[in-house]
């Protein structure tokens, strides 16, 4: 697994930072965030996931359901996560997602790839910043 | 791997597997209520919280759309949606759907069937190893009008010794045998082939072995290879058939093997047996004098081109000419033809004509259905405009409309392929004796591929033009005027389609008309004899009959036939006129310088019994007929026809002169002159012919002719009884009325004509439907205008004239284009015509008028509807 995987998909959608400024984000990042969050939290529904990701980002990210749910579907199709119906805090039927064994391996791979990628990019940025 | 799995799930999702739309919506709904709960906890009123959550979540259906796109594959899902929509639309108007599917099924089915025949017969390689390397060697002598005839044995030996361009070279000759000892005596068609033939073709016996070198040598053991069909039918595919004996011409032949199917389709006929030593088929004179007796098949050496081989054959032919200048075939050239061309080449043109015709039928059907679709789509203008207003692109709309035409085409094709399958089995059954390689005709993968392409092209052809036409709509206009006035646009497209249909169907009608006229003229040709009321059958006498026994047979059997009840006149002859190839040989006049065989004149030779001319009612012009005294005990005599007399005895009396006849060069005195008949073909002029008394030159093949009042079946029984008293082992072959036998020789022409006429008739029906539907729509479009005209005092007659006039103008333009097209097409088919000018005015004018009348009739009903328009109603709807 190499960092090229992470760079392969450009994400068509946007996220906002807390200043309301829109930035393009690599697609791999949201998938990684979802996987990582599920690894930490165990089973969780979409709303909880979104809230948790926003929280961890220090509220610099606001997650649009229009990007979250397709990503969840895609991860499920790829077999990294699985889901079943459960009951949410307010007693509504909600879909709960959890990591599969393949998902756990994928988290490791993605993490490593992401580290690689940021390392490489950092090498380009560092001398520039020093100048 | 992951991606493959995901793709699989997406495909599965399209068929309802995985998350449903409702589930996705429920999930989003939960998301919203959780969000609202959060806002409520932060102090908002429940209502405000709900509102805020809804705003934040935004357009929920757009989210679930995105999810849906992720879940399945958007392009395919759109296509499926389009097809579902198209299916609903088609179900809404079953009458239209049925008509369109039937029309397309006929069009596509006929095309697939004809393509299958063309493909199996003309395009597929022959079923031999590297069959494109196989050639036939033939002799051609343009001066004597001998084109691609057989090969002589002496020339074969010359080629065999000197050639360096072929890796294999084989000799064969077809031959008929009488099979006895297994039920009723039966005639079987076989091939006498050299041992080299099977390896040349690259074939091997299914069981058993090929002829051995010993069996290939003159005087070798009698052995036979049997066909798979015979193995199946007579021996039930029993392996113990090897070594059993088959009694052929009263001699036992040991079965040494079973031939593969490809070997018994060789060259055209269904052969039943192969025996070795082709030279045994011919008389010694034919072997030495250079008679065109054999068929020679060769395989080009690897790396040798056809052209190189042809050059090499020129050299060998020149050497042969010098070494055997006296031989019959010395002046002829050696021609090399690829085996496939040789087998089917002569038929190619008529099948291409049929293929063209059936293609035209499909095009006409397409034009028709395009027209109907245009009307349908035009009626949906408002829906289409609404879709545009909601943001659909022109591409979306065209895709959706073309989906409908494509669905029609696919449904039509499914039915069409079934029809084609059925039609092909009929063709194979009917065309068994008419179509070369008929056993190989089937609906194979190539034909199915053709069907798929034809279907896709049809689907696009019939849908695209109308879809583009109606989607090029001004949204505002279409919404404003209620979709009514819009029916009229596309009028030009509709008129063009109509003109196209009319023109194409006229081309087909004229092509069929010219062929029909040819056939009628051909059947009206006076053959010079009277076949009506004559019964005929063939008898193959065994080869082991001694000459005396043959003479005995001819004498006694002819006498016996004369006593048959109801028979007014009977005769025996080696060949029946107009039922097959006639044997040509050399002839010279005694007392004049005798030129070598190769430069001698040729004439058709017949061996006939007394009363042959009387039985066929061929008039005697001078001298006398043969009688029973013209036997071996008296000097030989001969009767010639008028053409012979004119050519060889201009201004002289031929009676009493002596001819030197045939390769055997026996003298015979001319005792009579008979009128010319057309014996070879109705469409070829009489050739010089001479007749020898069969009692003086008995040969083993003969035909019975009985002029009788009784029906053929009754005569056949009587003749069979008579034959049995002479030799119970003799079969009576092909007993039938002479008129029936002659009609069979025209069967090929008739089959092609029948198919072409069927296609032309179909085209005419389709074109008239086209005229009807176009005029019906034009009348509907002009309802208001016609209402106004009637309100202003136009009479119903005037309205009718107006509508009919419009139809007539379009039809006339179509007819004009059709005539122009027919000029071109008819010149291409000139070869198939007999005594008909390709621009025969009668055919052109007659069929144009027919088409005009049919179009007139088809436009009468819309015109009558126009006269019944109530001006008040018409104007009120404005």
């Amino acid at each position: 697994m190499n960092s090229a995987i992470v760079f392969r998909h450009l994400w068509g959608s946007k996220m906002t930072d807390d200043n309301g400024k829109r930035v393009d984000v690599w697609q791999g990042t949201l998938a990684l965030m979802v996987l990582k969050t599920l690894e930490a939290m165990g089973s969780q529904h979409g709303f909880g996931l979104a809230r948790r990701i926003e929280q961890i980002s220090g509220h610099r990210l606001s997650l649009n359901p229009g990007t979250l749910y397709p990503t969840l579907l895609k991860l499920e199709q790829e077999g990294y996560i699985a889901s079943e119906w459960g009951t949410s805090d307010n007693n509504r039927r909600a879909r709960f997602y959890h990591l599969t064994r393949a998902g756990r391996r994928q988290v490791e791979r993605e993490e490593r790839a992401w580290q690689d990628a940021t390392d490489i990019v950092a090498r380009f940025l560092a001398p520039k910043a020093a100048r | 791997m992951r991606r493959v799995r995901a793709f699989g799930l997406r495909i599965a999702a399209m068929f309802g597997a995985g998350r449903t739309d409702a589930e996705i919506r429920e999930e989003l709904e939960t998301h919203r209520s959780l969000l609202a709960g959060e806002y409520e906890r932060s102090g908002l009123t429940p209502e405000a919280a709900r509102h805020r959550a809804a705003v934040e979540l935004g357009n929920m259906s757009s989210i679930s759309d995105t999810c849906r796109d992720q879940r399945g594959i958007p392009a395919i899902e759109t296509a499926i949606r389009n097809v579902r929509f198209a299916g609903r639309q088609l179900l809404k108007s079953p009458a239209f759907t049925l008509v369109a599917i039937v029309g397309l099924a006929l069009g596509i089915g006929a095309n697939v069937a004809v393509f299958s025949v063309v493909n199996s017969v003309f395009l597929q390689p022959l079923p031999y190893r590297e069959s494109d390397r196989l050639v036939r060697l033939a002799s051609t002598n343009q001066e004597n009008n001998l084109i691609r005839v057989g090969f002589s044995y002496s020339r074969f030996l010359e080629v065999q010794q000197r050639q360096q361009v072929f890796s294999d070279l084989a000799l064969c000759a077809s031959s008929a045998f009488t099979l006895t000892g297994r039920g009723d005596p039966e005639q079987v068609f076989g091939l006498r082939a050299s041992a080299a033939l099977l390896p040349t073709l690259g074939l091997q016996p299914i069981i058993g072995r090929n002829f051995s070198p010993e069996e290939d040598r003159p005087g070798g053991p009698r052995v036979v290879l049997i066909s798979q069909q015979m193995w199946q039918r007579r021996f039930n595919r029993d392996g113990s058939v090897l070594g059993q004996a088959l009694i052929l011409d009263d001699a036992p032949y040991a079965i040494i093997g079973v031939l593969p199917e490809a070997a018994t389709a060789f060259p055209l006929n269904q052969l039943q047996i192969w025996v070795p030593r082709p030279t045994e088929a011919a008389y010694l004179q034919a072997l030495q004098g250079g008679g065109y007796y054999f068929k020679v098949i060769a395989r080009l050496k690897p790396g040798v081109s056809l052209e190189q081989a042809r050059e090499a054959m020129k050299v060998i032919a020149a050497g042969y000419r010098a070494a055997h200048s006296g031989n019959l075939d010395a002046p002829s050239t050696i021609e090399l033809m690829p085996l496939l061309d040789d087998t089917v080449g002569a038929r190619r043109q008529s099948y291409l004509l049929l293929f063209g015709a059936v293609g035209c039928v499909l095009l006409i059907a397409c034009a028709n259905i395009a027209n109907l679709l245009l009307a349908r789509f035009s009626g949906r203008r408002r829906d289409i405009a609404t879709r545009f207003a909601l943001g659909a692109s022109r591409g979306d709309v065209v895709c959706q409309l073309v989906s409908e035409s494509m669905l029609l085409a696919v449904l039509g094709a499914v039915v069409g392929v079934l029809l084609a399958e059925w039609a092909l089995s009929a063709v194979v059954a009917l065309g068994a004796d008419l179509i070369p390689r008929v056993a190989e005709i089937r609906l194979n993968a190539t034909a199915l591929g053709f069907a798929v392409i034809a279907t896709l092209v049809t689907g696009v052809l019939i849908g695209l033009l109308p879809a583009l036409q109606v989607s090029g709509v001004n949204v505002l206009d279409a919404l404003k005027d209620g979709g009514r006035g819009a029916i009229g646009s596309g009028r030009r497209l509709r008129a063009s389609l109509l003109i196209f249909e009319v023109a194409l169907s006229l081309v087909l009608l004229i092509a069929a008309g010219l062929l029909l006229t040819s056939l009628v003229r051909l059947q009206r040709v006076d053959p010079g004899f009277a076949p009506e009321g004559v019964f005929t059958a063939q008898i193959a006498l065994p080869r082991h009959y001694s000459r005396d026994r043959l003479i005995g047979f001819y004498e006694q059997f002819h006498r016996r036939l004369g006593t048959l009840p109801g028979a007014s006149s009977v005769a025996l002859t080696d060949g029946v006129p107009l039922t097959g190839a006639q044997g040509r040989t050399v002839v010279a006049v005694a007392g004049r310088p005798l030129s070598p065989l190769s430069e001698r004149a040729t004439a058709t030779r017949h061996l006939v019994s007394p009363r042959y001319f009387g039985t066929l009612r061929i008039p005697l012009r001078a001298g006398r007929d043969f009688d029973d005294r013209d036997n071996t005990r008296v000097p030989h005599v001969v009767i010639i026809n008028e053409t012979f007399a004119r050519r060889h005895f201009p201004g002289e009396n031929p009676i009493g002169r002596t001819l030197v006849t045939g390769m055997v060069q026996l003298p015979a005195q001319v005792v009579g002159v008979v009128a010319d008949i057309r014996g070879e073909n109705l469409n070829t002029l009489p050739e010089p012919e001479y007749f020898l008394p069969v009692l003086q030159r008995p040969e083993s093949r003969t035909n019975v002719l009985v002029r009788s009042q009784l029906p053929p079946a009754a005569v056949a029984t009587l003749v069979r009884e008579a034959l049995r008293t002479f030799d119970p082992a003799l079969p009576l072959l092909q007993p039938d009325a002479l008129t029936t036998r002659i009609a069979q020789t025209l069967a090929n022409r008739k089959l092609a004509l029948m198919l072409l006429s069927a296609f032309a008739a179909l085209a005419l029906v389709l074109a008239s439907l086209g005229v009807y539907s176009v005029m019906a729509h034009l009348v509907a479009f002009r309802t208001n205008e016609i209402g106004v005209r009637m309100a202003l005092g136009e009479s119903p007659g005037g309205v009718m004239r107006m509508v009919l006039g419009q139809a007539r103008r379009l039809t006339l333009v179509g007819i004009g284009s059709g005539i122009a097209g027919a000029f071109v097409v008819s010149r291409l088919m000139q070869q198939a015509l007999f005594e008909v000018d390709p621009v025969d005015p009668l055919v052109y004018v007659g069929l144009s008028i027919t088409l005009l009348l049919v179009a007139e009739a088809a436009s009468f009903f819309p015109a009558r509807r126009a006269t019944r328009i109530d001006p008040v109603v018409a104007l009120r709807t404005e």
Side-chain angles (χ1 to χ4, degrees):
Chain A
M1 180 56 59
N2 60 42
S3 51
I5 297 287
V6 182
F7 287 94
R8 192 166 294 152
H9 316 281
L10 261 176
W11 197 7
S13 187
K14 323 254 186 187
M15 283 192 184
T16 49
D17 64 11
D18 50 359
N19 299 322
K21 207 179 130 205
R22 288 172 159 250
V23 281
D24 282 346
V25 188
W26 303 112
Q27 159 130 51
T29 56
L30 180 60
L32 181 56
M33 285 174 212
V34 168
L35 291 175
K36 201 67 194 159
T37 312
L38 283 177
E39 190 186 35
M41 294 180 75
S43 186
Q44 188 51 267
H45 52 66
F47 180 80
L49 260 174
R51 275 287 168 270
R52 181 73 185 153
I53 288 172
E54 285 165 3
Q55 226 173 42
I56 295 174
S57 74
H59 295 282
R60 287 158 70 193
L61 287 175
S62 138
L63 214 47
N64 182 349
T67 50
L68 174 66
Y69 286 101
T71 303
L72 286 172
L73 253 171
K74 182 169 179 288
L75 287 171
E76 192 171 1
Q77 283 168 350
E78 288 168 344
Y80 298 133
I81 61 175
S83 67
E84 64 281 299
W85 287 107
T87 313
S88 68
D89 306 338
N90 63 349
N91 276 332
R92 286 192 77 110
R93 218 155 86 93
R95 202 145 185 109
F96 282 77
Y97 296 87
H98 63 264
L99 272 190
T100 62
R101 196 176 303 163
R104 276 177 221 294
R105 281 199 298 275
Q106 178 70 0
V107 173
E108 283 171 32
R109 271 199 300 266
E110 291 261 319
E111 241 183 294
R112 228 177 302 126
W114 179 250
Q115 293 295 354
D116 280 356
T118 47
D119 276 1
I120 294 165
V121 175
R123 280 164 192 271
F124 287 89
L125 299 179
K128 223 182 195 175
R131 234 177 280 150
Chain B
M1 261 334 280
R2 291 281 157 198
R3 222 167 287 155
V4 174
R5 174 196 146 106
F7 186 73
L9 286 171
R10 288 172 82 156
I11 299 242
M14 290 190 302
F15 300 99
R19 211 80 58 83
T20 63
D21 282 358
E23 282 180 326
I24 290 171
R25 232 174 288 123
E26 186 173 0
E27 196 172 1
L28 291 174
E29 197 54 51
T30 306
H31 187 107
R32 200 182 56 117
S33 76
L34 286 167
L35 194 59
E38 209 176 65
Y39 284 128
E40 218 178 312
R41 280 195 293 284
S42 72
L44 289 181
T45 62
E47 224 161 298
R50 256 205 308 283
H51 181 69
R52 181 126 183 232
V55 169
E56 197 165 309
L57 207 60
N59 186 349
M60 208 131 86
S61 66
S62 125
I63 297 175
S64 60
D65 272 357
T66 321
C67 286
R68 200 179 298 134
D69 285 354
Q70 173 60 42
R71 184 190 55 188
I73 294 163
I76 297 182
E77 288 203 315
T78 311
I80 290 178
R81 211 160 41 235
N82 277 340
V83 170
R84 282 212 185 121
F85 178 78
R88 282 198 301 277
Q89 293 297 326
L90 292 182
L91 280 181
K92 262 189 221 165
S93 42
F96 160 81
T97 307
L98 196 69
V99 167
I101 288 178
V102 168
L104 288 171
L106 288 176
I108 294 176
N111 271 276
V112 171
V114 174
F115 176 83
S116 291
V117 174
V118 169
N119 177 50
S120 312
V121 175
F122 300 98
L123 303 179
Q124 290 291 312
L126 291 167
Y128 310 126
R129 178 170 55 83
E130 289 174 40
S131 62
D132 55 325
R133 306 291 296 163
L134 291 172
V135 291
R136 175 160 95 87
L137 278 67
S139 307
T140 289
N141 184 346
Q142 300 280 0
E143 276 171 38
N144 282 354
N145 195 25
L146 294 167
I147 312 291
R148 295 174 177 179
V149 294
F151 222 69
S152 74
Y153 186 61
S154 39
R155 184 184 256 186
F156 170 76
L157 292 177
E158 185 91 4
V159 171
Q160 198 174 37
Q161 279 156 23
R162 297 182 46 194
Q163 68 86 16
Q164 287 170 348
V165 291
F166 305 122
S167 58
D168 303 81
L169 190 64
L171 183 73
C172 59
S174 44
S175 194
F177 298 83
T178 305
L179 173 68
T180 45
R182 294 182 181 273
D184 281 340
E186 187 189 343
Q187 189 177 44
V188 296
F189 292 97
L191 195 71
R192 292 179 184 270
S194 65
L197 186 55
L198 266 186
T200 302
L201 297 176
L203 298 174
Q204 280 179 336
I206 305 174
I207 60 165
R209 57 171 179 87
N210 188 15
F211 304 128
S212 68
E214 191 205 347
E215 288 154 0
D216 206 23
R217 270 194 289 276
R222 289 200 181 100
V223 290
V224 60
L225 289 163
I226 62 168
S227 72
Q228 213 178 341
Q229 193 206 358
M230 184 185 265
W231 187 35
Q232 167 85 49
R233 195 165 43 91
R234 287 196 180 265
F235 301 99
N236 206 16
R237 297 188 79 86
D238 188 349
S240 71
V241 69
L242 299 181
Q244 290 191 37
L246 219 51
I247 309 295
L248 298 167
D249 288 348
D250 281 340
Y253 283 71
I255 298 174
I256 59 164
V258 175
L259 291 164
E261 212 170 321
T264 45
F266 176 89
L268 286 190
N269 307 317
Q270 284 297 320
L271 294 172
Q272 286 164 284
I273 52 168
W274 280 25
V275 297
R277 301 184 294 277
T279 46
E280 283 180 10
Y283 300 98
L284 205 58
Q285 299 89 348
L287 276 185
Q288 288 166 345
Y292 306 100
Y293 204 89
F294 299 97
K295 186 159 191 160
V296 176
I297 309 284
R299 178 179 288 278
L300 294 172
K301 267 187 187 161
V304 174
S305 73
L306 193 59
E307 276 318 306
Q308 288 166 330
R310 283 183 174 143
E311 287 305 315
M313 288 305 113
K314 273 185 195 159
V315 177
I316 291 178
Y320 178 78
R321 201 169 302 139
H324 304 265
S325 57
N327 272 7
L328 186 62
D329 62 340
S332 65
T333 58
I334 301 179
E335 223 181 313
L336 280 190
M337 292 155 290
L339 200 54
L340 179 62
D341 284 1
D342 180 52
T343 310
V344 300
R347 308 287 175 78
R348 194 166 281 150
Q349 207 205 6
S350 57
Y351 282 87
L352 287 182
L353 180 70
L354 273 185
F355 197 35
V358 81
C360 286
V361 170
L362 182 57
L363 279 180
I364 295 171
C366 282
N368 239 327
I369 291 160
N371 234 325
L372 294 173
L373 282 173
L374 181 59
R376 267 172 85 77
F377 294 166
S378 299
R380 269 187 240 153
R381 246 167 218 262
R382 261 193 109 166
D383 306 349
I384 291 167
T386 312
R387 293 198 59 204
F388 277 133
L390 290 176
S393 70
R394 187 172 181 191
D396 293 336
V397 170
V398 169
C399 269
Q400 196 199 61
L401 296 177
V402 172
S403 300
E404 196 164 327
S405 66
M406 197 57 84
L407 183 61
L408 277 179
V410 169
L411 292 174
V414 170
V415 181
V417 167
L418 294 178
L419 284 180
E421 180 76 59
W422 172 78
L424 280 182
S425 51
V427 165
V428 172
L430 290 175
D433 302 326
L434 303 176
I435 304 171
R437 304 179 72 186
V438 72
E440 294 173 51
I441 293 177
R442 54 187 54 104
L443 198 72
N444 59 9
T446 318
L448 283 179
F450 170 83
V452 169
I453 292 170
T455 307
L456 295 181
V457 171
T458 301
V460 171
L461 268 187
I462 60 177
L464 194 60
L465 280 181
L468 287 176
Q469 175 72 43
V470 295
S471 64
V473 60
N474 182 330
V475 177
L476 265 183
D477 284 355
L479 286 176
K480 240 186 325 196
D481 74 11
R484 195 154 35 81
I487 294 174
S489 60
R491 235 184 322 171
R492 189 166 301 152
L493 175 58
R494 200 165 278 158
S496 319
L497 286 173
L498 176 62
I499 291 168
F500 174 73
E501 267 182 69
V502 170
L504 266 188
S505 57
L506 184 61
V507 172
L508 278 190
L509 282 174
I510 288 176
L514 289 172
L515 285 182
L516 185 68
T517 317
S518 294
L519 185 68
V520 169
R521 301 226 167 126
L522 203 52
Q523 283 175 323
R524 267 200 217 133
V525 168
D526 178 10
F529 65 97
E532 299 82 12
V534 175
F535 165 89
T536 179
Q538 209 186 344
I539 298 168
L541 296 167
R543 265 159 223 284
H544 65 81
Y545 268 29
S546 65
R547 189 177 157 84
D548 283 346
R549 187 145 186 223
L550 276 180
I551 293 171
F553 170 82
Y554 282 114
E555 266 176 347
Q556 293 164 27
F557 188 57
H558 187 228
R559 204 174 303 134
R560 178 81 207 246
L561 281 179
T563 65
L564 288 187
S568 57
S569 182
V570 297
L572 296 169
T573 168
D574 65 333
V576 180
L578 288 183
T579 59
Q582 310 273 306
R584 263 211 291 179
T585 182
V586 284
V587 68
V589 180
R592 296 178 189 169
L594 214 56
S595 51
L597 284 177
S598 56
E599 289 160 34
R600 223 168 264 186
T602 59
T604 307
R605 184 205 72 161
H606 302 272
L607 301 174
V608 300
S609 71
R611 288 182 289 288
Y612 169 76
F613 303 107
T615 306
L616 288 180
R617 302 206 170 132
I618 300 169
L620 192 66
R621 297 292 191 217
R624 65 167 179 91
D625 187 7
F626 299 131
D627 59 36
D628 295 331
R629 286 163 303 176
D630 292 318
N631 55 25
T632 42
R633 291 181 285 279
V634 298
H636 288 189
V637 291
V638 61
I639 292 175
I640 57 175
N641 72 350
E642 286 176 304
T643 303
F644 193 108
R646 263 198 307 278
R647 188 157 310 168
H648 294 279
F649 304 102
E652 300 173 53
N653 181 10
I655 308 288
R657 304 292 296 268
T658 301
L659 302 183
V660 179
T661 61
M663 304 276 289
V664 290
Q665 313 204 45
L666 286 176
Q669 195 181 35
V670 179
V671 294
V673 178
V674 291
D676 285 336
I677 65 163
R678 295 198 181 205
E680 177 91 45
N681 250 320
L682 280 174
N683 51 359
T684 48
L685 290 170
E687 293 275 320
E689 295 183 25
Y690 67 92
F691 302 82
L692 298 170
V694 72
L695 287 179
Q696 291 181 344
R697 309 279 179 90
E699 286 185 9
S700 61
R701 191 158 305 274
T702 193
N703 292 275
V704 181
L705 294 175
V706 179
R707 186 170 282 284
S708 168
Q709 307 289 330
L710 300 175
V715 182
T717 315
L718 294 172
V719 173
R720 206 170 268 133
E721 272 168 25
L723 195 58
R724 203 167 291 140
T725 59
F726 190 83
D727 183 345
L730 288 179
L732 191 68
L733 309 166
Q734 290 188 285
D736 219 331
L738 181 54
T739 45
T740 313
R741 289 284 307 283
I742 292 173
Q744 279 163 2
T745 61
L746 288 174
N748 224 321
R749 209 176 254 272
K750 278 184 184 160
L751 180 74
L753 180 66
M754 204 173 72
L755 287 173
L756 189 63
S757 307
F759 295 151
L762 198 57
L764 184 63
V765 170
L766 288 172
S768 64
L769 276 176
V771 172
Y772 171 81
S773 71
V774 169
M775 292 322 291
H777 278 104
L778 285 179
V779 166
F781 165 63
R782 295 175 71 180
T783 301
N784 296 334
E785 180 205 329
I786 291 168
V788 172
R789 278 172 186 265
M790 289 178 86
L792 292 176
E794 178 80 274
S795 68
V799 169
M800 185 149 218
R801 272 194 299 281
M802 183 186 79
V803 176
L804 289 179
Q806 195 175 10
R808 201 173 302 135
R809 274 194 300 280
L810 290 176
T811 310
L812 282 174
V813 176
I815 286 175
S817 335
I819 287 177
F823 275 141
V824 178
V825 171
S826 59
R827 268 170 217 290
L828 295 178
M829 51 186 270
Q830 196 153 16
Q831 248 188 340
L833 301 181
F834 171 75
E835 284 184 4
V836 177
D837 189 357
V839 291
D840 187 290
L842 201 66
V843 172
Y844 278 63
V845 172
L847 290 169
S848 299
I849 290 176
T850 308
L851 187 57
L852 190 62
L853 290 178
V854 168
E856 199 87 343
S859 51
F860 170 76
F861 296 97
R864 195 179 55 180
R865 191 172 324 137
T867 64
R868 293 185 180 157
I869 289 171
D870 183 345
V872 179
V873 177
L875 291 175
R876 199 181 286 146
T877 55
E878 185 64 47

